[in-house]
Amino acid sequence: MSEINRAVKGTNDILPSDSHKWQFTEKTMLDIAGLYGFKEIRVPVFEHTEVFNRSVGDTTDVVQKEMYTFDDKGGRSLTLRPELTAGVVRSAIEKGLIYGSLPVKVCYIGGCYRYEKPQAGRLREFHQFGVECFGASSPAADAEVIALALQVLTTVGVQKISLEINSIGCPECRKSYHEALKKYFSSHIDELCDTCKDRLSRNPMRILDCKSEICSKIAKDAPVVIDYLCDDCKEHFEGVKRHLEASGIKYTVNPQIVRGLDYYTRTVFEFVSGDIGAQSTVCGGGRYDGLISQMGGADVPALGFGMGIERLMLLLENQNTEMPPAKKCDIYIAPMGENAKFKATALCNALRGDGFEAQTDICSRGLKAQMKYADKIGAVFSLVLGDDELESGKGKLKNMLSGEETEIILNNICDALFKAKQDFALDNLTNSISQI
Ligand code: ATP
Ligand code: MG
């Protein structure tokens, strides 16, 4: 196949047969975020490259290996966002969101771009739902965003998922941890990959997140950050755990979680599942108290998470979760003859104006082909319009599933369809109750 017929490696099309699943999932995400007071924010797909270098961190895999960076025609270095937090923080500072009354809670859904090796659950274009909360330092805030993520996961139908949490401390307690890591990894320096050799002096914690087999093997026995927390960070972490327990949210402490982005402090968490293969993290997040000031804003604490929507979809599929079905066409109007076509158009427009999905022939087909199409799109009702119907102003509304026909006045079609839909729903309900 030539390139014009082939999607770019690592990208996916969401086809009409699947888009209702995405719509349901995305609506659930925004609705649930709304229950916690998070309002949607939309930021550009690209930013100045520096926005990501400064926030995500220039020793991370994302910045060192995965960014789509290019110069635009004006010679600016721009980057397609590998995640949304950096752009949202840039916007929150620039537009002054963090200078009003706090906390400020925002959420987003959007595409992310990373030059990674494509495989199941790992794409070059993928989508994230995420939230960011600015101005809250209490452990209650950490537990709140975790509860939000969990409510989204369970509401869309995830049946089994584990929450793993850790604390990676603040810059203060991390000093002694960095020393311990440097000491440990120095004794393995010859075995480390080239990137990690460089990380050893610049940012030894990043070695813990290296994907190379040998580095991750060495990292398994490295000192864990949770043993180096200062008293304030310890107390904060205990607070998060207590809040989770008070809400009945089950978790395990996994001292190995450090997250792949540099800006995290204190709480980090992941929702992981054994049902989606090697890329098992569906959602990752945590606190990033230093990021806003590091990006030039005020010293405002912050936290959030990013949830990979493709991985979530894969999980739902692998757990055989039933998603709500696509909405069906309410009525197909099949005109026979030239005059009937104009009436069909008028009736369809009246129906659409009243909120019904109505379709009619736009391919000049005969009745048989039209009814085949009505069947294919799953139309619930149909109406055939011929000369007789035009003359009498009446027609037969046919229920395509039961075959039942009801005589209606054409100019009264909206009320008639509304009543027929109600009767049909009631019949279905009565039938299912009698089957119980
Ligand atoms: P991983 O360790 O799997 O590479 P990450 O730490 O790079 O993940 P984050 O930057 O925290 O991931 O992004 C949050 C979520 O976005 C991930 O938990 C995952 O669900 C999703 N995600 C990240 N990278 C990809 C990708 N290349 N393809 C699909 N989903 C992704
Ligand atoms: Mg990654």
Side-chain angles (χ1 to χ4, degrees):
M1 235 192 286
S2 83
E3 281 197 339
I4 60 162
N5 300 121
R6 204 163 16 109
V8 174
K9 195 173 166 187
T11 66
N12 253 349
D13 301 311
I14 298 159
L15 298 175
S17 52
D18 279 334
S19 55
H20 67 284
K21 297 180 191 166
W22 280 73
Q23 287 168 359
F24 162 74
T25 304
E26 292 181 354
K27 184 175 182 318
T28 305
M29 290 167 161
L30 296 179
D31 284 352
I32 290 179
L35 300 179
Y36 292 73
F38 287 77
K39 302 262 188 298
E40 190 185 4
I41 184 168
R42 298 187 189 194
V43 292
V45 166
F46 52 79
E47 298 275 349
H48 292 288
T49 301
E50 202 47 28
V51 170
F52 303 109
N53 287 352
R54 281 276 288 280
S55 57
V56 174
D58 57 8
T59 54
T60 58
D61 268 0
V62 171
V63 168
Q64 288 189 324
K65 301 177 185 168
E66 299 170 2
M67 294 208 306
Y68 279 95
T69 298
F70 58 96
D71 287 341
D72 75 358
K73 288 188 169 40
R76 300 169 194 88
S77 177
L78 303 178
T79 293
L80 298 185
R81 60 187 182 202
E83 52 104 64
L84 274 89
T85 302
V88 170
V89 167
R90 190 268 311 139
S91 168
I93 298 169
E94 184 185 353
K95 304 291 159 31
L97 301 188
I98 50 163
Y99 298 109
S101 60
L102 296 171
V104 167
K105 300 174 174 186
V106 297
C107 62
Y108 56 77
I109 291 176
C112 301
Y113 304 85
R114 296 187 191 179
Y115 193 76
E116 299 199 73
K117 198 166 157 229
Q119 51 200 288
R122 196 174 289 291
L123 293 153
R124 290 183 173 172
E125 182 190 58
F126 63 98
H127 297 81
Q128 278 188 356
F129 158 66
V131 309
E132 315 292 349
C133 173
F134 302 126
S137 58
S138 150
D142 306 52
E144 187 175 273
V145 301
I146 291 174
L148 194 174
L150 181 61
Q151 190 173 348
V152 165
L153 292 167
T154 49
T155 308
V156 296
V158 171
Q159 290 150 42
K160 199 167 157 270
I161 190 116
S162 317
L163 167 64
E164 300 188 349
I165 61 170
N166 191 21
S167 174
I168 58 170
C170 62
E172 217 25 65
C173 50
R174 224 179 278 166
K175 279 184 198 149
S176 52
Y177 180 55
H178 276 187
E179 285 316 307
L181 279 183
K182 277 184 186 163
K183 200 165 154 219
Y184 173 78
F185 284 119
S186 297
S187 61
H188 295 276
I189 188 154
D190 295 338
E191 300 157 73
L192 295 176
C193 74
D194 287 345
T195 318
C196 285
K197 280 193 180 99
D198 172 56
R199 286 166 170 164
L200 183 56
S201 55
R202 294 178 64 201
N203 190 352
M205 255 175 93
R206 284 276 66 87
I207 306 176
L208 300 172
D209 203 46
C210 182
K211 298 280 189 298
S212 105
E213 210 174 302
I214 177 82
C215 294
S216 42
K217 201 165 153 230
I218 299 169
K220 280 217 165 64
D221 295 320
V224 289
V225 60
I226 206 162
D227 294 337
Y228 292 80
L229 297 186
C230 66
D231 287 346
D232 283 352
C233 286
K234 258 190 220 157
E235 191 185 322
H236 190 274
F237 194 44
E238 288 311 309
V240 175
K241 291 195 273 185
R242 260 190 85 180
H243 275 284
L244 291 176
E245 282 152 22
S247 318
I249 297 176
K250 293 203 171 54
Y251 63 85
T252 48
V253 175
N254 177 353
Q256 307 282 347
I257 302 179
V258 289
R259 310 286 311 127
L261 315 174
D262 262 355
Y263 49 62
Y264 287 108
T265 50
R266 293 193 164 171
T267 319
V268 287
F269 62 90
E270 291 185 349
F271 283 91
V272 293
S273 167
D275 293 333
I276 45 172
Q279 320 319 320
S280 56
T281 310
V282 178
C283 173
R287 185 167 272 289
Y288 50 90
D289 289 343
L291 181 62
I292 297 180
S293 56
Q294 190 186 311
M295 296 272 289
D299 189 12
V300 172
L303 71 163
F305 66 73
M307 188 179 285
I309 306 183
E310 282 81 0
R311 280 194 205 171
L312 174 58
M313 292 301 192
L314 192 63
L315 178 60
L316 292 170
E317 208 178 301
N318 291 358
Q319 291 188 343
N320 294 319
T321 303
E322 266 197 45
M323 304 276 273
K327 195 184 163 300
K328 291 212 165 104
C329 171
D330 290 309
I331 183 167
Y332 183 88
I333 300 184
M336 291 194 307
E338 277 311 301
N339 290 337
K341 280 185 185 167
F342 299 107
K343 185 70 179 171
T345 301
L347 289 178
C348 276
N349 284 338
L351 285 159
R352 292 163 188 156
D354 262 21
F356 296 105
E357 180 184 330
Q359 296 207 49
T360 186
D361 178 45
I362 50 170
C363 296
S364 302
R365 284 193 282 223
L367 185 60
K368 206 169 151 202
Q370 286 195 53
M371 294 319 286
K372 206 169 147 191
Y373 179 74
D375 244 352
K376 190 163 170 267
I377 60 172
V380 184
F381 291 91
S382 67
L383 177 83
V384 176
L385 274 189
D387 289 342
D388 285 353
E389 284 77 11
L390 290 187
E391 222 164 87
S392 67
K394 291 181 182 163
K396 290 206 174 86
L397 189 63
K398 182 175 177 184
N399 183 320
M400 299 282 278
L401 295 169
S402 66
E404 197 182 320
E405 290 187 331
T406 316
E407 191 170 77
I408 63 160
I409 295 166
L410 294 182
N411 287 342
N412 206 9
I413 194 164
C414 295
D415 288 346
L417 184 59
F418 181 74
K419 187 170 178 309
K421 270 184 82 171
Q422 256 188 345
D423 289 349
F424 186 46
L426 209 61
D427 279 354
N428 279 346
L429 193 67
T430 320
N431 284 344
S432 53
I433 290 174
S434 66
Q435 275 169 18
I436 295 174

